[in-house]
Amino acid sequence: MNQWEFMDKEYIWHPFTQMKGWNENKQLVIDHGEGVKLYDVEGNAYYDGISSLWVNIHGHRRREIDEAVKKQLDKIAHTTLLGLINKPAAELAKKLVEVTPKGLNKVFYSDDGSTAVEAAVKIAFQYWQHKGLPEKQQFINLGDSYHGDTVGAVSVGNIDVFHKVYKPLLFNTKKMTCPSFYHSSIEGINSEIEFRDFLLQELEDYLKENSDKVAAMIIEPLVQAAAGMLMQPKGYIKGVRELTEKYNVLLIIDEVATGFGRTGKLFACENEGICPDMMCLSTAGYMALGATMVTDEIYNTFLGEAAEYKTFYHGHSYTGNPLACAAGVAGLELFEKDDVIENLPPKMAVIAEHIQKMNTMKYVGNARQCGMLAGIELMHDKNLKIPFDSTLLMAGGICQTARKYGLIVRNIGDVIIFMPPLVSTVQQIEEMLSILEQAMQEVFEKVDLHSNIKFSDPCAF
């Protein structure tokens, strides 16, 4: 054990990690990064197959972003947005308004995706107070949804393993059916189109009777990422937008995981041509930064005289941090400079080829993809959809095995997540997925030979 691993295990409590397993196993100590690879203190290289937990888009040590942060650091590292303006925050806000769906004209900054959602929840609640409809307080969310870890964000989430312990702290929501056809067990539903129609009818039936008390509906568009890359039927988010407009309910789109090119468009909701009332983002991939985009209608409702107390009383010490915003500006400029979106199709095609191959493997129940996002769900019996015993830590074992061959990926339960930086080349993606398949085959062979095998996975969710 080197000195950094010793200090880590002695003093640090890691997120989403069972520390008993963590402390019992040898861990990687990352020293530096370059492009799409991470390097440990022993000089070993690893592909960053999860974009450093879904945030890195343009690669590590990207010169243009590094220089932007260094240039800003020579001026000032931080100054508050309470009563002051800073250049990078203003410049980034302008760029965000220019690239997000038409109508989202105001930016409220925060620190990350969770706090962007927290702000959206509070804005939606307060908006209806100002509109003279204080009874509109309820939020609609999806089964198996995840929107972050602050109390408001957890309240509009629905993943029991993450959230059930906090139930007494949370406000109640109306949960709609999880829009994953693969996981649906609704009798009589035999196609994705039928499933989509069922979901939308379920939502309309509820809104017909209860829209007068509903403030907003919040969804991740196309993919529920932290639930295990659960894919939604085509046309679903468009239908949701039509119904929320019809019944006077705000729509909050959480693009923290799906935004900035991950689905093949700059934003996932663009795949179905919709514009929400609010959009939650987390930008740059270099430094902590969140943004809640809102329409003029929402923003203007908060305008008034000081004595009216219509102010949005919410903020963070590092709101609009100049270093983070400078990184965000540079990151957005790279989308145009590198033709990032235009260059995605051949990369997505390589992922699709490997997903098709993985779906033929004995213990892969469902390998699925949306753009640059992929999830590989393991099943002990794929035909009957019988999962592995959770104590076996199957997906975690595959992730640990992949590290031996130079790939870092993570799992959510028995779903392996693959989400490479968008800057990855076709060849690099090919190499990453070949490593993953090698690790899968190695573990599957052990399963066939040893029925009582159990893997060590200190990183499992």
PDB file of all heavy atoms in Angstrom, residues 366-389:
ATOM      1  N   ASN A 366     -29.800  -7.674 -21.529  1.00  0.00           N
ATOM      2  CA  ASN A 366     -30.167  -6.564 -22.412  1.00  0.00           C
ATOM      3  C   ASN A 366     -29.018  -5.562 -22.459  1.00  0.00           C
ATOM      4  O   ASN A 366     -28.702  -4.921 -21.469  1.00  0.00           O
ATOM      5  CB  ASN A 366     -31.444  -5.889 -21.910  1.00  0.00           C
ATOM      6  CG  ASN A 366     -31.899  -4.751 -22.804  1.00  0.00           C
ATOM      7  OD1 ASN A 366     -31.948  -3.603 -22.387  1.00  0.00           O
ATOM      8  ND2 ASN A 366     -32.239  -5.061 -24.033  1.00  0.00           N
ATOM      9  N   ALA A 367     -28.384  -5.463 -23.609  1.00  0.00           N
ATOM     10  CA  ALA A 367     -27.393  -4.409 -23.848  1.00  0.00           C
ATOM     11  C   ALA A 367     -28.090  -3.330 -24.657  1.00  0.00           C
ATOM     12  O   ALA A 367     -28.728  -3.621 -25.672  1.00  0.00           O
ATOM     13  CB  ALA A 367     -26.183  -4.961 -24.587  1.00  0.00           C
ATOM     14  N   ARG A 368     -28.026  -2.113 -24.225  1.00  0.00           N
ATOM     15  CA  ARG A 368     -28.811  -1.040 -24.820  1.00  0.00           C
ATOM     16  C   ARG A 368     -27.952   0.211 -25.012  1.00  0.00           C
ATOM     17  O   ARG A 368     -26.984   0.443 -24.295  1.00  0.00           O
ATOM     18  CB  ARG A 368     -30.031  -0.738 -23.958  1.00  0.00           C
ATOM     19  CG  ARG A 368     -29.738  -0.674 -22.470  1.00  0.00           C
ATOM     20  CD  ARG A 368     -31.009  -0.651 -21.647  1.00  0.00           C
ATOM     21  NE  ARG A 368     -30.726  -0.611 -20.210  1.00  0.00           N
ATOM     22  CZ  ARG A 368     -30.781  -1.670 -19.409  1.00  0.00           C
ATOM     23  NH1 ARG A 368     -31.094  -2.873 -19.902  1.00  0.00           N
ATOM     24  NH2 ARG A 368     -30.529  -1.551 -18.109  1.00  0.00           N
ATOM     25  N   GLN A 369     -28.374   1.053 -25.938  1.00  0.00           N
ATOM     26  CA  GLN A 369     -27.584   2.226 -26.315  1.00  0.00           C
ATOM     27  C   GLN A 369     -28.484   3.364 -26.740  1.00  0.00           C
ATOM     28  O   GLN A 369     -29.521   3.162 -27.368  1.00  0.00           O
ATOM     29  CB  GLN A 369     -26.636   1.867 -27.463  1.00  0.00           C
ATOM     30  CG  GLN A 369     -25.889   3.047 -28.064  1.00  0.00           C
ATOM     31  CD  GLN A 369     -25.436   2.790 -29.481  1.00  0.00           C
ATOM     32  OE1 GLN A 369     -25.873   1.823 -30.121  1.00  0.00           O
ATOM     33  NE2 GLN A 369     -24.567   3.622 -30.004  1.00  0.00           N
ATOM     34  N   CYS A 370     -28.067   4.566 -26.403  1.00  0.00           N
ATOM     35  CA  CYS A 370     -28.650   5.787 -26.958  1.00  0.00           C
ATOM     36  C   CYS A 370     -27.487   6.728 -27.213  1.00  0.00           C
ATOM     37  O   CYS A 370     -26.903   7.269 -26.271  1.00  0.00           O
ATOM     38  CB  CYS A 370     -29.663   6.415 -26.007  1.00  0.00           C
ATOM     39  SG  CYS A 370     -30.385   7.951 -26.633  1.00  0.00           S
ATOM     40  N   GLY A 371     -27.120   6.908 -28.462  1.00  0.00           N
ATOM     41  CA  GLY A 371     -25.993   7.768 -28.775  1.00  0.00           C
ATOM     42  C   GLY A 371     -24.693   7.236 -28.209  1.00  0.00           C
ATOM     43  O   GLY A 371     -24.261   6.123 -28.505  1.00  0.00           O
ATOM     44  N   MET A 372     -24.064   8.019 -27.339  1.00  0.00           N
ATOM     45  CA  MET A 372     -22.796   7.644 -26.713  1.00  0.00           C
ATOM     46  C   MET A 372     -23.007   7.045 -25.326  1.00  0.00           C
ATOM     47  O   MET A 372     -22.047   6.859 -24.578  1.00  0.00           O
ATOM     48  CB  MET A 372     -21.887   8.865 -26.622  1.00  0.00           C
ATOM     49  CG  MET A 372     -21.489   9.454 -27.963  1.00  0.00           C
ATOM     50  SD  MET A 372     -20.389   8.385 -28.931  1.00  0.00           S
ATOM     51  CE  MET A 372     -18.842   8.612 -28.034  1.00  0.00           C
ATOM     52  N   LEU A 373     -24.238   6.746 -24.983  1.00  0.00           N
ATOM     53  CA  LEU A 373     -24.574   6.148 -23.695  1.00  0.00           C
ATOM     54  C   LEU A 373     -24.921   4.681 -23.892  1.00  0.00           C
ATOM     55  O   LEU A 373     -25.680   4.332 -24.790  1.00  0.00           O
ATOM     56  CB  LEU A 373     -25.782   6.851 -23.072  1.00  0.00           C
ATOM     57  CG  LEU A 373     -25.744   8.372 -22.974  1.00  0.00           C
ATOM     58  CD1 LEU A 373     -27.071   8.898 -22.478  1.00  0.00           C
ATOM     59  CD2 LEU A 373     -24.635   8.813 -22.045  1.00  0.00           C
ATOM     60  N   ALA A 374     -24.374   3.819 -23.031  1.00  0.00           N
ATOM     61  CA  ALA A 374     -24.690   2.401 -23.145  1.00  0.00           C
ATOM     62  C   ALA A 374     -24.750   1.752 -21.774  1.00  0.00           C
ATOM     63  O   ALA A 374     -24.024   2.136 -20.850  1.00  0.00           O
ATOM     64  CB  ALA A 374     -23.650   1.685 -24.014  1.00  0.00           C
ATOM     65  N   GLY A 375     -25.629   0.773 -21.645  1.00  0.00           N
ATOM     66  CA  GLY A 375     -25.741  -0.025 -20.429  1.00  0.00           C
ATOM     67  C   GLY A 375     -25.841  -1.487 -20.800  1.00  0.00           C
ATOM     68  O   GLY A 375     -26.584  -1.850 -21.719  1.00  0.00           O
ATOM     69  N   ILE A 376     -25.094  -2.337 -20.109  1.00  0.00           N
ATOM     70  CA  ILE A 376     -25.111  -3.769 -20.367  1.00  0.00           C
ATOM     71  C   ILE A 376     -25.642  -4.456 -19.120  1.00  0.00           C
ATOM     72  O   ILE A 376     -24.962  -4.495 -18.084  1.00  0.00           O
ATOM     73  CB  ILE A 376     -23.713  -4.302 -20.732  1.00  0.00           C
ATOM     74  CG1 ILE A 376     -23.161  -3.586 -21.961  1.00  0.00           C
ATOM     75  CG2 ILE A 376     -23.767  -5.811 -20.983  1.00  0.00           C
ATOM     76  CD1 ILE A 376     -22.211  -2.450 -21.647  1.00  0.00           C
ATOM     77  N   GLU A 377     -26.866  -4.957 -19.189  1.00  0.00           N
ATOM     78  CA  GLU A 377     -27.516  -5.551 -18.024  1.00  0.00           C
ATOM     79  C   GLU A 377     -27.335  -7.062 -18.030  1.00  0.00           C
ATOM     80  O   GLU A 377     -27.676  -7.742 -19.005  1.00  0.00           O
ATOM     81  CB  GLU A 377     -29.002  -5.192 -17.996  1.00  0.00           C
ATOM     82  CG  GLU A 377     -29.711  -5.694 -16.753  1.00  0.00           C
ATOM     83  CD  GLU A 377     -31.023  -4.980 -16.490  1.00  0.00           C
ATOM     84  OE1 GLU A 377     -31.361  -4.045 -17.240  1.00  0.00           O
ATOM     85  OE2 GLU A 377     -31.712  -5.359 -15.518  1.00  0.00           O
ATOM     86  N   LEU A 378     -26.827  -7.593 -16.942  1.00  0.00           N
ATOM     87  CA  LEU A 378     -26.552  -9.020 -16.822  1.00  0.00           C
ATOM     88  C   LEU A 378     -27.762  -9.763 -16.277  1.00  0.00           C
ATOM     89  O   LEU A 378     -28.506  -9.232 -15.460  1.00  0.00           O
ATOM     90  CB  LEU A 378     -25.351  -9.247 -15.905  1.00  0.00           C
ATOM     91  CG  LEU A 378     -24.079  -8.453 -16.223  1.00  0.00           C
ATOM     92  CD1 LEU A 378     -22.976  -8.818 -15.245  1.00  0.00           C
ATOM     93  CD2 LEU A 378     -23.627  -8.671 -17.657  1.00  0.00           C
ATOM     94  N   MET A 379     -27.949 -10.994 -16.734  1.00  0.00           N
ATOM     95  CA  MET A 379     -29.014 -11.860 -16.250  1.00  0.00           C
ATOM     96  C   MET A 379     -28.488 -13.287 -16.143  1.00  0.00           C
ATOM     97  O   MET A 379     -27.794 -13.761 -17.050  1.00  0.00           O
ATOM     98  CB  MET A 379     -30.218 -11.848 -17.200  1.00  0.00           C
ATOM     99  CG  MET A 379     -31.037 -10.581 -17.158  1.00  0.00           C
ATOM    100  SD  MET A 379     -32.076 -10.492 -15.674  1.00  0.00           S
ATOM    101  CE  MET A 379     -32.610  -8.776 -15.767  1.00  0.00           C
ATOM    102  N   HIS A 380     -28.828 -13.973 -15.064  1.00  0.00           N
ATOM    103  CA  HIS A 380     -28.431 -15.371 -14.935  1.00  0.00           C
ATOM    104  C   HIS A 380     -29.169 -16.236 -15.953  1.00  0.00           C
ATOM    105  O   HIS A 380     -28.604 -17.160 -16.542  1.00  0.00           O
ATOM    106  CB  HIS A 380     -28.711 -15.875 -13.517  1.00  0.00           C
ATOM    107  CG  HIS A 380     -28.169 -17.230 -13.253  1.00  0.00           C
ATOM    108  ND1 HIS A 380     -28.944 -18.375 -13.315  1.00  0.00           N
ATOM    109  CD2 HIS A 380     -26.910 -17.645 -12.955  1.00  0.00           C
ATOM    110  CE1 HIS A 380     -28.191 -19.429 -13.056  1.00  0.00           C
ATOM    111  NE2 HIS A 380     -26.954 -19.008 -12.832  1.00  0.00           N
ATOM    112  N   ASP A 381     -30.443 -15.893 -16.180  1.00  0.00           N
ATOM    113  CA  ASP A 381     -31.219 -16.538 -17.235  1.00  0.00           C
ATOM    114  C   ASP A 381     -31.855 -15.431 -18.064  1.00  0.00           C
ATOM    115  O   ASP A 381     -32.834 -14.805 -17.649  1.00  0.00           O
ATOM    116  CB  ASP A 381     -32.295 -17.456 -16.645  1.00  0.00           C
ATOM    117  CG  ASP A 381     -33.021 -18.276 -17.701  1.00  0.00           C
ATOM    118  OD1 ASP A 381     -33.303 -17.734 -18.789  1.00  0.00           O
ATOM    119  OD2 ASP A 381     -33.303 -19.463 -17.437  1.00  0.00           O
ATOM    120  N   LYS A 382     -31.286 -15.171 -19.247  1.00  0.00           N
ATOM    121  CA  LYS A 382     -31.734 -14.034 -20.049  1.00  0.00           C
ATOM    122  C   LYS A 382     -33.133 -14.238 -20.617  1.00  0.00           C
ATOM    123  O   LYS A 382     -33.863 -13.281 -20.822  1.00  0.00           O
ATOM    124  CB  LYS A 382     -30.730 -13.746 -21.157  1.00  0.00           C
ATOM    125  CG  LYS A 382     -30.584 -14.847 -22.190  1.00  0.00           C
ATOM    126  CD  LYS A 382     -29.383 -14.601 -23.102  1.00  0.00           C
ATOM    127  CE  LYS A 382     -29.496 -13.332 -23.880  1.00  0.00           C
ATOM    128  NZ  LYS A 382     -28.306 -13.078 -24.718  1.00  0.00           N
ATOM    129  N   ASN A 383     -33.507 -15.475 -20.873  1.00  0.00           N
ATOM    130  CA  ASN A 383     -34.825 -15.739 -21.453  1.00  0.00           C
ATOM    131  C   ASN A 383     -35.948 -15.515 -20.453  1.00  0.00           C
ATOM    132  O   ASN A 383     -37.001 -14.979 -20.789  1.00  0.00           O
ATOM    133  CB  ASN A 383     -34.875 -17.168 -21.998  1.00  0.00           C
ATOM    134  CG  ASN A 383     -33.918 -17.371 -23.159  1.00  0.00           C
ATOM    135  OD1 ASN A 383     -33.780 -16.497 -24.016  1.00  0.00           O
ATOM    136  ND2 ASN A 383     -33.233 -18.501 -23.183  1.00  0.00           N
ATOM    137  N   LEU A 384     -35.714 -15.912 -19.215  1.00  0.00           N
ATOM    138  CA  LEU A 384     -36.716 -15.735 -18.160  1.00  0.00           C
ATOM    139  C   LEU A 384     -36.514 -14.444 -17.364  1.00  0.00           C
ATOM    140  O   LEU A 384     -37.281 -14.148 -16.462  1.00  0.00           O
ATOM    141  CB  LEU A 384     -36.696 -16.939 -17.217  1.00  0.00           C
ATOM    142  CG  LEU A 384     -37.042 -18.291 -17.850  1.00  0.00           C
ATOM    143  CD1 LEU A 384     -36.908 -19.416 -16.817  1.00  0.00           C
ATOM    144  CD2 LEU A 384     -38.454 -18.264 -18.426  1.00  0.00           C
ATOM    145  N   LYS A 385     -35.472 -13.698 -17.710  1.00  0.00           N
ATOM    146  CA  LYS A 385     -35.116 -12.462 -17.008  1.00  0.00           C
ATOM    147  C   LYS A 385     -34.917 -12.695 -15.512  1.00  0.00           C
ATOM    148  O   LYS A 385     -35.424 -11.953 -14.654  1.00  0.00           O
ATOM    149  CB  LYS A 385     -36.167 -11.368 -17.236  1.00  0.00           C
ATOM    150  CG  LYS A 385     -36.256 -10.889 -18.676  1.00  0.00           C
ATOM    151  CD  LYS A 385     -37.222  -9.709 -18.818  1.00  0.00           C
ATOM    152  CE  LYS A 385     -37.312  -9.235 -20.243  1.00  0.00           C
ATOM    153  NZ  LYS A 385     -38.269  -8.111 -20.409  1.00  0.00           N
ATOM    154  N   ILE A 386     -34.159 -13.740 -15.214  1.00  0.00           N
ATOM    155  CA  ILE A 386     -33.821 -14.048 -13.823  1.00  0.00           C
ATOM    156  C   ILE A 386     -32.440 -13.476 -13.534  1.00  0.00           C
ATOM    157  O   ILE A 386     -31.457 -13.891 -14.153  1.00  0.00           O
ATOM    158  CB  ILE A 386     -33.829 -15.563 -13.565  1.00  0.00           C
ATOM    159  CG1 ILE A 386     -35.224 -16.136 -13.833  1.00  0.00           C
ATOM    160  CG2 ILE A 386     -33.386 -15.876 -12.143  1.00  0.00           C
ATOM    161  CD1 ILE A 386     -35.295 -17.642 -13.755  1.00  0.00           C
ATOM    162  N   PRO A 387     -32.323 -12.508 -12.628  1.00  0.00           N
ATOM    163  CA  PRO A 387     -31.022 -11.884 -12.360  1.00  0.00           C
ATOM    164  C   PRO A 387     -30.093 -12.795 -11.563  1.00  0.00           C
ATOM    165  O   PRO A 387     -30.521 -13.790 -10.984  1.00  0.00           O
ATOM    166  CB  PRO A 387     -31.397 -10.642 -11.554  1.00  0.00           C
ATOM    167  CG  PRO A 387     -32.674 -11.006 -10.871  1.00  0.00           C
ATOM    168  CD  PRO A 387     -33.415 -11.912 -11.823  1.00  0.00           C
ATOM    169  N   PHE A 388     -28.848 -12.417 -11.531  1.00  0.00           N
ATOM    170  CA  PHE A 388     -27.891 -13.084 -10.656  1.00  0.00           C
ATOM    171  C   PHE A 388     -28.179 -12.715  -9.210  1.00  0.00           C
ATOM    172  O   PHE A 388     -28.758 -11.647  -8.924  1.00  0.00           O
ATOM    173  CB  PHE A 388     -26.461 -12.649 -10.992  1.00  0.00           C
ATOM    174  CG  PHE A 388     -25.898 -13.281 -12.227  1.00  0.00           C
ATOM    175  CD1 PHE A 388     -25.931 -12.621 -13.447  1.00  0.00           C
ATOM    176  CD2 PHE A 388     -25.313 -14.544 -12.163  1.00  0.00           C
ATOM    177  CE1 PHE A 388     -25.399 -13.202 -14.588  1.00  0.00           C
ATOM    178  CE2 PHE A 388     -24.771 -15.134 -13.299  1.00  0.00           C
ATOM    179  CZ  PHE A 388     -24.824 -14.470 -14.510  1.00  0.00           C
ATOM    180  N   ASP A 389     -27.795 -13.564  -8.300  1.00  0.00           N
ATOM    181  CA  ASP A 389     -27.826 -13.234  -6.877  1.00  0.00           C
ATOM    182  C   ASP A 389     -26.997 -11.967  -6.679  1.00  0.00           C
ATOM    183  O   ASP A 389     -25.827 -11.908  -7.080  1.00  0.00           O
ATOM    184  CB  ASP A 389     -27.237 -14.395  -6.071  1.00  0.00           C
ATOM    185  CG  ASP A 389     -27.302 -14.167  -4.563  1.00  0.00           C
ATOM    186  OD1 ASP A 389     -27.378 -12.992  -4.147  1.00  0.00           O
ATOM    187  OD2 ASP A 389     -27.250 -15.151  -3.819  1.00  0.00           O
TER     188      ASP A 389
END
